[in-house]
Amino acid sequence: SPPIVSSSATSSIFNDKKTYPQFLRTVSDDSGQAKALVHLMKHYEWTHVLCLYTEGNTRALKHFGFILRYEVF
């Protein structure tokens, strides 16, 4: 069967190569994106972030925010 290439599927469910052997993505999964965002927050010493996104075909801009809390071991 031909490969399935996605430019927007970020769910980690597709990391299972036994279930999805032909699936390839051009973006990182959600956990990779979260790790990158936390890295940026630590680097720039940001404590609050507002994330903007769109959902579905509505093109309505939505947002959510969170506060970085972490412990150094």
Side-chain angles (χ1 to χ4, degrees):
S1 62
I4 300 168
V5 180
S6 172
S7 62
S8 61
T10 59
S11 174
S12 61
I13 193 169
F14 297 113
N15 293 347
D16 183 355
K17 291 300 179 187
K18 288 183 180 181
T19 305
Y20 305 101
Q22 302 294 355
F23 182 80
L24 304 168
R25 69 174 101 224
T26 61
V27 295
S28 65
D29 65 13
D30 292 331
S31 66
Q33 292 180 30
K35 289 175 186 175
L37 182 55
V38 169
H39 179 77
L40 282 171
M41 291 178 74
K42 288 179 179 180
H43 178 80
Y44 290 106
E45 299 180 357
W46 298 337
T47 57
H48 295 73
V49 171
L50 180 67
C51 297
L52 303 175
Y53 67 99
T54 59
E55 188 174 90
N57 294 327
T58 62
R59 298 186 189 265
L61 192 60
K62 299 182 178 190
H63 70 276
F64 66 92
F66 63 90
I67 298 171
L68 177 64
R69 291 190 180 126
Y70 64 91
E71 294 181 23
V72 178
F73 296 98

